[in-house]
Amino acid sequence: MRSLAYAIACGALLAGTSAQAVSLDITGVKSGGITLGAAGAPTLANGIYADFDNDLGAAYGGSTETKVKVTPAYASFESGVAVSGPNAAAQSHSGLDVDIINNSPNNLVSIDSVGSTIIPAGLGFYMQDRTGDPTGGNAFTGYGQAGYSSFGSLFTEDLAGTTFATAGFTFDIYGDDYLENPYAEALYTLNGNLTLSFDDVGNVVRGGNIEAAGLSLNGFTTAYDNPFALAYAWGETDIEIILNQILEAGQSTSLYYRTTAYASTNTTCLDDAVTCLVAYSGFGDPIGRGGGVSLAAARGVRDQLEYNPITGIVFDPQLIDPFRVKSTVIGGGAVPEPATWMTMILGFGLLGAALRRRRVLAYS
């Protein structure tokens, strides 16, 4: 867990007239786990877990990466998972706890809104070729795509009518009541998932809501769509949370950012023990395809051309400015009573109407 408190006095981070009256205290949180086995199997620690105790001697299990970084210039978080094998699943959870503090000794401050950025991400499935040694020693992320065995090659009678692969993400922002009630309604929520299933005769059926979620994501693209790989990616997406919350001197309000990347598979590797299905989901640019952003220069050999197969999975940290606080200094004293607020609102409304009339007269 990492925490950093700093005053925001930069116009790029804080808009309004109260740049020096507001500060942020940010704490990063993260966790993750891998399960391998039927329902009730224990959850293994965040990291890499590979089980070779099977008839093929193939690596079954998964890999999770969870990264949270807080600096005076930015705060970012990401999650990434990749799994392979029967009854294999992984989740990576990360987030930021953000306290917005009125540092003014005697002024009220209105926290009008907070703008944030959803970092680039991607998810999907591909048939993996495990020839040779994996990059980084990680069997779940370090192998590239096979081009000779399709998703349909995985069909067995036991898998008829079942879902054999899932990849997805959730992104939620909660308000002050989150710690007391983890099931509180989110101020903002976005989730997407993708599934592969077999019908009764072995046809591959796609499911999930990822394309609908893509309507809210910038640069959303189909990175791969062929019998060996199905993947989606997207770029940075700006969002704005309207708060309109009044803080007295010394008071604070909190936002809780929570994200989860998850994936699961329920297939064995093929008989050659080299070709295996991998499901992955991660914030960043996992397969080097981008999503409205270009990371080719930073990623070197991970760059992909339109016709190239996937060469592996990399969960890259994204350095972005995620917070843009808009606030307004109202003045000194305690929060006015409701009747006083009504008078003020009426006064502002009348003032606004008068200003609008003046503008019309001036420019007609």
Side-chain angles (χ1 to χ4, degrees):
M1 179 179 295
R2 300 177 183 180
S3 178
L4 179 72
Y6 56 93
I8 293 184
C10 176
L13 294 177
L14 184 66
T17 60
S18 55
Q20 296 181 358
V22 175
S23 65
L24 302 184
D25 188 346
I26 304 174
T27 302
V29 295
K30 60 183 181 179
S31 65
I34 303 164
T35 57
L36 183 64
T43 299
L44 306 168
N46 198 28
I48 303 173
Y49 177 78
D51 183 0
F52 296 89
D53 186 16
N54 53 77
D55 293 339
L56 298 177
Y60 293 153
S63 172
T64 64
E65 295 185 31
T66 305
K67 301 175 183 178
V68 178
K69 190 172 184 65
V70 179
T71 79
Y74 65 86
S76 67
F77 57 95
E78 66 172 285
S79 296
V81 298
V83 297
S84 182
N87 295 308
Q91 293 188 338
S92 177
H93 311 281
S94 57
L96 297 170
D97 297 351
V98 182
D99 295 327
I100 305 172
I101 306 163
N102 177 6
N103 288 326
S104 172
N106 49 30
N107 286 328
L108 301 176
V109 172
S110 171
I111 306 300
D112 305 321
S113 66
V114 177
S116 298
T117 300
I118 300 175
I119 61 179
L123 57 80
F125 319 106
Y126 71 97
M127 298 297 290
Q128 191 182 61
D129 181 355
R130 292 185 174 178
T131 301
D133 295 325
T135 300
N138 189 329
F140 308 104
T141 63
Y143 286 112
Q145 175 188 326
Y148 46 84
S149 297
S150 67
F151 295 135
S153 304
L154 298 165
F155 179 73
T156 64
E157 290 186 0
D158 291 341
L159 294 176
T162 68
T163 296
F164 64 90
T166 302
F169 74 93
T170 64
F171 179 81
D172 300 291
I173 303 175
Y174 297 94
D176 284 318
D177 54 350
Y178 174 71
L179 292 184
E180 295 181 359
N181 178 17
Y183 301 101
E185 183 177 356
L187 301 175
Y188 178 89
T189 186
L190 182 65
N191 65 82
N193 64 83
L194 181 64
T195 64
L196 292 179
S197 304
F198 285 122
D199 65 14
D200 291 338
V201 295
N203 296 311
V204 177
V205 181
R206 303 177 187 181
N209 72 334
I210 188 60
E211 292 189 351
L215 298 175
S216 300
L217 295 165
N218 288 338
F220 182 81
T221 184
T222 303
Y224 288 89
D225 188 355
N226 58 56
F228 320 105
L230 176 62
Y232 295 88
W234 54 92
E236 292 184 5
T237 302
D238 291 334
I239 60 175
E240 185 175 24
I241 307 301
I242 305 299
L243 294 180
N244 291 329
Q245 188 165 350
I246 306 297
L247 299 181
E248 295 186 49
Q251 282 190 330
S252 65
T253 187
S254 299
L255 294 176
Y256 300 92
Y257 291 69
R258 294 293 183 268
T259 184
T260 296
Y262 61 90
S264 66
T265 58
N266 192 29
T267 62
T268 61
C269 293
L270 298 183
D271 291 340
D272 59 9
V274 170
T275 308
C276 306
L277 172 68
V278 167
Y280 74 91
S281 176
F283 288 80
D285 187 24
I287 58 173
R289 291 289 293 186
V293 293
S294 175
L295 299 178
R299 300 178 60 83
V301 298
R302 297 295 184 182
D303 184 26
Q304 302 288 332
L305 298 177
E306 187 64 31
Y307 54 85
N308 286 158
I310 296 171
T311 58
I313 301 171
V314 177
F315 299 118
D316 289 321
Q318 302 296 305
L319 307 184
I320 60 171
D321 159 30
F323 302 112
R324 297 171 294 278
V325 180
K326 293 182 180 179
S327 60
T328 305
V329 172
I330 297 175
V335 176
E337 294 297 325
T340 307
W341 272 119
M342 183 60 66
T343 303
M344 291 176 64
I345 291 170
L346 288 174
F348 290 146
L350 292 172
L351 178 60
L355 289 173
R356 285 193 295 273
R357 285 191 60 195
R358 287 178 60 186
R359 291 192 188 102
V360 171
L361 291 174
Y363 290 97
S364 62

